[in-house]
Amino acid sequence: MTTTISTPKELLGLVGQPLGTTEWLTIDQERVNLFADATGDHQWIHVDPEKAAAGPYGRTIAHGYLTLSLAPLLIAEALVVENVQAAVNYGLNKVRFPAPVPVGSRVRAAVELAGAQEKPAGIEAVIRLTYEVDGADRPACIAETVVLYR
């Protein structure tokens, strides 16, 4: 499900509403390794499948920040804002990682508009993402991102 609106101002009337749920995305070891290279975080629990097999999760897990970094991709899948000059990452209000994302698992996000207000520079939207792991009981990440639509 995708919500499409013709202007950023329409966000003001969608506060508290679900915007959509994304398709499943498989988190593979290659993506995790590339993220480790990009960030310099080569902790064994992420990049060493042999050592991780004997660790607390029985296999490698994605970095929490890798999961979080999927936010722009997932938001764009759930929300299309037409007639916008730019969508600027304005920051985060709150992020939690209640459960791991095992490598090889699939994730998706339920996307909701938690807040929106008009600012001189545009519409500031607070978008809540709840990342699900296929077959898991708890979400992997719950994040409130702030996006300024100009």
Side-chain angles (χ1 to χ4, degrees):
M1 178 181 124
T2 301
T3 298
T4 301
I5 57 175
S6 61
T7 68
K9 228 173 199 179
E10 290 180 46
L11 288 166
L12 299 172
L14 296 176
V15 174
Q17 294 186 30
L19 300 174
T21 300
T22 67
E23 296 294 323
W24 290 105
L25 173 68
T26 300
I27 305 299
D28 60 20
Q29 190 65 54
E30 180 182 11
R31 183 184 294 261
V32 172
N33 292 345
L34 288 169
F35 189 84
D37 289 344
T39 62
D41 182 355
H42 291 92
Q43 187 180 152
W44 63 268
I45 202 148
H46 305 302
V47 299
D48 187 339
E50 282 185 30
K51 189 171 182 179
Y57 303 107
R59 59 182 161 167
T60 51
I61 61 171
H63 304 74
Y65 286 129
L66 166 57
T67 305
L68 180 61
S69 75
L70 298 172
L73 171 73
L74 300 172
I75 291 169
E77 190 176 324
L79 175 64
V80 175
V81 181
E82 298 172 335
N83 300 304
V84 64
Q85 292 176 345
V88 179
N89 175 0
Y90 208 60
L92 300 161
N93 285 344
K94 183 177 180 180
V95 178
R96 297 290 183 267
F97 302 106
V101 175
V103 170
S105 62
R106 299 184 321 154
V107 298
R108 70 178 178 185
V111 183
E112 174 188 349
L113 186 62
Q117 58 183 320
E118 196 160 3
K119 297 281 190 165
I123 302 296
E124 183 182 285
V126 177
I127 300 171
R128 182 177 299 119
L129 296 103
T130 303
Y131 296 74
E132 305 171 44
V133 176
D134 194 12
D137 295 334
R138 297 184 320 162
C141 178
I142 302 166
E144 286 187 359
T145 65
V146 183
V147 179
L148 181 65
Y149 291 93
R150 304 181 121 200

